């Protein structure tokens, strides 16, 4: 092997890629040193996932070369790349909901005894794998029963179940809370020691500098810089990412309108399955209330119960002073409660449909014209959302799976906000959204509350709660263990500390 191939396990040179005449990668170079973590950073739609999908054979490149261990490669599909020791943790989770945890981990890589699957061996190996990485999930649970954070851990375990020489992690922490992120960083350290080379994609700036040896910044399909992490600051990275684009501050703004005296919703003694016990709180007109907690603290389950997806075992819910029984989604919608779910792929969007059709689904009464749908109105509302949310798309009549991950998330939020519910439930609203767009989304949510509506938001990113919440309910193990008012949530440390239980 040449000296250069000894130093670099992977070299991509002059990579071009267009989708339907739209150039999304333009002459991109990317080199990965053996045993290093190389981060790729860039705004939504910058081309990060596409570059890595070209590496792993999911997409084919239009031009350029890829060398692994000094030899030219051109993988025709993901399976070929796997066989050569490359693995990718996909941004859009690829776990199959109807299969169990262990089935997912060994899917397409079954351990066999003769012609038969060796279930016992797969079980024991899965247990060992999860134990080794201190991931606490019951292996016989169906993945559909797990929250998105746990699905992400299954996805990670799946990638780790086979030895890899190059591991690509595309937004691996988007749904993980801080303690799980720490766990993942421990795993990454172990992998590095074992000689694995890692590509790490994330929108969480503080993670980038902690975990990476080098950073490459992409903007609009072009490589802007590649530098050692030691010489970089978060501010410098953001400057490279945004170029001349306006930077938005990520700070709490005094509310444009005062918070009203009347509660929109009063929740008293809420119990949900075995997961939430005796939780009480209220949301007033114009108020944004955050739910903070680790994975498994009951955050998402509270939102799902209020939206009628989970059974409320005990407790009362009053909306505008009147008792309501939220038995299903129809009840919730009638009470003007809407949920923007975290898992856009499972619940939020129909990926093969167009952007406009995905909007139409949620517009219900708004665009009805007698028995028919008012197509012009739908187009108008969709185009307005594309402008307001700065959604990067080639056209509203293109399928939604042509959008980058972050832009899909914007569509999900826009879609529900157009219905203007009284109470909006948001689960991880900015997971996977770039730093510029995060500020935009927070402003949109604030503007929505300022009209006298209420918002309950769940976020693993504490900085986001600090930036937008008037009050934060602290949860641990399904119980409410504290409540922070605005004066108490001036910095991240306070919340960070509170959620440890
Ligand atoms: N299958 C596809 N068909 C058409 N266009 C696509 C396809 N996949 C990606 N694109 C387009 O390529 C561009 C780059 O997308 P990519 O998913 O690589 O962005 P990204 O940097 O990963 O963004 P994000 O941070 O939002 O995940 C986007 O404009 C996107 O719309
Ligand atoms: Mg992506």
């Amino acid at each position: 092997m040449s000296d250069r191939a000894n130093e670099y396990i992977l070299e991509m040179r002059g990579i071009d890629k267009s989708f339907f005449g739209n150039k999304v990668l333009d002459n991109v170079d990317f080199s990965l040193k053996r045993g290093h973590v190389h981060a790729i950073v860039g705004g939504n739609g910058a081309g990060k996932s596409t570059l890595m999908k070209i590496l792993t054979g999911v997409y084919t490149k239009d031009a350029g070369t890829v060398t692994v261990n000094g030899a030219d490669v051109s993988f025709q599909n993901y399976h070929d790349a796997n066989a050569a020791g490359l693995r990718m943790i996909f941004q859009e989770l690829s776990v199959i909901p109807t299969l169990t945890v262990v089935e997912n981990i060994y899917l397409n890589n079954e351990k066999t005894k003769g012609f038969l699957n060796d279930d016992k061996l797969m079980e024991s190996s899965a247990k060992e794998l999860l134990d080794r990485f201190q991931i606490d999930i019951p292996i016989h649970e169906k993945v559909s029963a797990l929250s998105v954070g746990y699905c992400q851990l299954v996805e990670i375990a799946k990638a780790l179940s086979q030895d890899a020489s190059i591991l690509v992690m595309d937004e691996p922490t988007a749904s993980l809370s801080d303690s799980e992120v720490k766990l993942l960083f421990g795993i990454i350290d172990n992998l590095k020691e074992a000689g694995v080379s890692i590509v790490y994609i994330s929108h969480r700036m503080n993670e980038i500098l902690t975990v990476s040896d080098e950073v490459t910044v992409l903007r609009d399909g072009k490589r802007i810089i590649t530098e050692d992490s030691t010489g970089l600051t978060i501010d410098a990275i953001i400057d490279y990412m945004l170029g001349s684009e306006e930077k938005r501050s990520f700070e709490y703004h005094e509310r444009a309108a005062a918070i009203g005296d009347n509660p929109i919703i009063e929740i008293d003694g809420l119990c949900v399955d075995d997961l939430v016990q005796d939780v009480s709180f209220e949301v007033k007109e114009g108020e944004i209330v955050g739910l903070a907690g680790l994975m498994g603290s009951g955050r998402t389950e509270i939102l799902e119960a209020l939206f009628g997806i989970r059974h409320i075992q005990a407790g009362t819910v009053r909306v505008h002073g009147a008792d309501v029984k939220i038995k299903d989604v129809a009840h919730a919608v009638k009470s003007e409660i809407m949920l923007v779910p975290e898992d856009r792929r499972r619940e939020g969007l129909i990926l093969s449909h167009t952007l406009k059709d995905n909007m139409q689904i949620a517009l219900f009464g708004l665009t009805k014209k007698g028995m028919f749908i008012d197509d012009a109105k739908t187009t108008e509302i969709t185009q307005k959302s594309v402008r307001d949310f700065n959604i990067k798309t080639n056209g509203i009549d293109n399928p939604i799976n042509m959008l980058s991950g972050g832009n899909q998330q914007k569509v999900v939020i826009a879609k529900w906000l157009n219905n203007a519910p009284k109470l909006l439930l948001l689960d991880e609203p900015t997971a996977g959204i770039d730093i510029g767009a995060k500020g935009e989304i927070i402003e949109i949510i604030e503007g929505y509350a300022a009209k006298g509506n209420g918002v309950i938001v769940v976020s693993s990113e504490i900085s986001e709660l600090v930036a937008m919440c008037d009050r934060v309910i602290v949860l641990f193990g399904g119980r409410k263990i504290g409540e922070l008012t605005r004066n108490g949530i001036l910095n991240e440390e306070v919340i960070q500390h509170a959620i440890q239980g």
Side-chain angles (χ1 to χ4, degrees):
M1 219 182 278
S2 70
D3 283 352
R4 190 154 176 98
N6 255 332
E7 187 177 3
Y8 291 95
I9 187 166
L10 164 71
E11 298 214 59
M12 303 178 83
R13 294 223 168 278
I15 304 295
D16 283 348
K17 177 73 182 173
S18 297
F19 289 108
F20 311 103
N22 178 28
K23 197 155 199 176
V24 302
L25 290 175
D26 185 359
N27 195 22
V28 173
D29 294 340
F30 179 78
S31 306
L32 175 61
K33 283 192 181 138
R34 221 170 272 281
H36 271 206
V37 177
H38 193 147
I40 307 181
V41 189
N44 293 133
K48 306 176 295 290
S49 299
T50 303
L51 185 67
M52 287 302 110
K53 284 179 179 168
I54 285 173
L55 171 66
T56 54
V58 178
Y59 294 152
T60 50
K61 58 188 182 299
D62 298 340
T65 57
V66 181
T67 21
V68 173
N69 284 320
D72 277 358
V73 294
S74 186
F75 302 119
Q76 292 309 301
N77 51 50
Y78 184 56
H79 188 78
D80 287 356
N82 264 198
L86 280 73
R87 309 205 54 95
M88 180 155 171
I89 297 169
F90 290 95
Q91 180 176 22
E92 309 298 336
L93 299 178
S94 66
V95 286
I96 314 256
T98 49
L99 298 182
T100 65
V101 171
V102 56
E103 285 165 346
N104 265 292
I105 291 178
Y106 291 105
L107 184 68
N108 294 328
N109 178 33
E110 287 78 4
K111 292 185 183 293
T112 50
K113 197 159 65 183
F115 290 113
L116 299 174
N117 282 348
D118 190 341
D119 291 337
K120 284 257 157 4
L121 181 61
M122 286 194 273
E123 277 168 29
S124 59
S125 310
K127 276 212 187 83
E128 210 176 287
L129 178 75
L130 295 173
D131 280 353
R132 177 149 53 103
F133 297 117
Q134 294 173 34
I135 301 174
D136 187 15
I137 324 176
I139 61 169
H140 293 297
E141 189 74 67
K142 280 222 171 80
V143 162
S144 55
L146 301 178
S147 72
V148 181
Y150 285 103
C151 290
Q152 205 159 39
L153 289 175
V154 174
E155 181 94 20
I156 291 169
K158 183 175 168 63
L160 297 174
S161 69
Q162 277 176 296
D163 287 340
S165 54
I166 299 177
L167 178 63
V168 179
M169 303 182 151
D170 195 351
E171 286 283 343
T173 60
S175 319
L176 300 187
S177 20
D178 281 2
S179 59
E180 287 83 27
V181 172
K182 284 212 186 79
L183 201 89
L184 180 69
F185 285 3
I187 296 174
I188 290 177
D189 281 343
N190 288 341
L191 292 170
K192 272 177 75 170
E193 266 165 42
V196 180
S197 313
I198 296 172
V199 181
Y200 190 91
I201 300 174
S202 177
H203 289 292
R204 296 185 175 188
M205 289 299 150
N206 52 353
E207 289 178 5
I208 300 291
L209 291 179
T210 313
V211 79
S212 69
D213 300 294
E214 280 132 284
V215 177
T216 287
V217 177
L218 296 183
R219 192 198 315 143
D220 294 333
K222 295 193 183 64
R223 188 180 66 117
I224 304 297
I225 55 121
T226 299
E227 279 182 26
D228 282 352
S229 308
T230 45
L232 282 168
T233 59
I234 291 180
D235 276 347
I237 297 177
I238 293 174
D239 280 344
Y240 288 129
M241 254 181 72
L242 298 181
S244 56
E245 268 178 56
E246 172 198 0
K247 266 186 264 177
R248 288 180 190 247
S249 73
F250 209 58
E251 288 160 2
Y252 179 75
H253 307 283
E254 281 304 321
R255 292 278 176 265
I259 292 168
D261 294 328
N262 298 328
I264 290 189
I265 190 165
E266 298 159 86
I267 297 152
D268 206 3
L270 185 75
C271 297
V272 185
D273 301 333
D274 292 331
L275 304 161
V276 176
Q277 298 297 326
D278 194 24
V279 168
S280 308
F281 66 99
E282 57 175 37
V283 182
K284 296 208 168 91
E285 288 170 346
E287 196 177 29
I288 304 178
V289 174
L291 302 182
L294 304 173
M295 251 162 71
S297 62
R299 306 171 300 180
T300 293
E301 289 75 11
I302 292 174
L303 296 191
E304 290 178 346
L306 295 177
F307 195 54
I309 306 175
R310 276 183 190 273
H311 177 59
I312 298 179
Q313 271 162 334
T316 56
V317 176
R318 275 186 298 279
V319 176
H320 284 301
D323 275 357
V324 291
K325 291 255 173 296
I326 302 172
K327 292 213 184 74
D328 53 28
V329 175
H331 279 99
V333 171
K334 218 163 92 195
S335 305
E336 293 201 61
I337 299 173
M338 291 276 182
L339 169 69
V340 179
E342 175 181 13
D343 182 356
R344 54 185 173 266
R345 181 137 113 163
R346 205 154 64 190
E347 303 165 56
L349 294 171
I350 305 175
L351 288 177
S352 56
H353 286 198
T354 67
L355 200 170
K356 193 170 110 184
D357 287 347
N358 269 286
M359 286 290 214
Q360 167 60 40
I361 293 166
L363 288 174
F364 300 124
L366 277 181
T367 55
K368 264 212 311 246
K369 199 157 90 181
M371 273 171 60
F372 301 99
I373 284 165
D374 185 343
D375 193 56
K377 183 92 190 266
T378 309
T379 301
E380 183 195 312
I381 295 178
T382 308
Q383 274 164 349
K384 184 172 182 320
S385 298
V386 167
R387 280 195 308 275
D388 288 354
F389 285 76
N390 213 348
I391 297 170
K392 241 185 164 177
T393 169
N394 277 338
I396 61 173
D397 293 315
N398 286 332
I400 205 97
N401 55 12
M402 289 169 51
L403 264 60
S404 79
N407 282 296
Q408 289 180 17
Q409 182 72 352
K410 290 188 189 178
V411 175
V412 179
I413 298 178
K415 167 178 121 164
W416 293 114
L417 274 179
N418 279 327
N419 273 292
K422 278 271 162 289
L423 180 69
L424 185 66
L425 314 174
L426 297 163
D427 199 355
E428 303 285 357
T430 68
I433 287 186
D434 74 42
I435 193 134
K438 258 181 200 164
E440 289 167 19
I441 287 193
I442 290 178
E443 275 174 28
I444 288 170
I445 294 168
E446 284 170 346
Y448 169 80
K451 288 184 201 143
N453 301 305
V455 177
I456 305 178
V457 59
V458 166
S459 176
S460 301
E461 279 194 72
I462 309 280
S463 58
E464 190 170 297
L465 294 177
V466 174
M468 72 174 143
C469 292
D470 301 297
R471 209 144 46 82
V472 169
I473 310 294
V474 184
L475 300 163
F476 187 84
R479 290 180 182 275
K480 174 174 162 182
I481 58 163
E483 184 166 331
L484 302 167
T485 55
R486 186 62 229 170
N487 299 333
I489 38 181
L490 286 175
N491 59 51
E492 291 180 42
E493 283 72 32
V494 180
I495 301 182
Q496 202 62 265
H497 202 74
I499 60 175
Q500 307 302 326

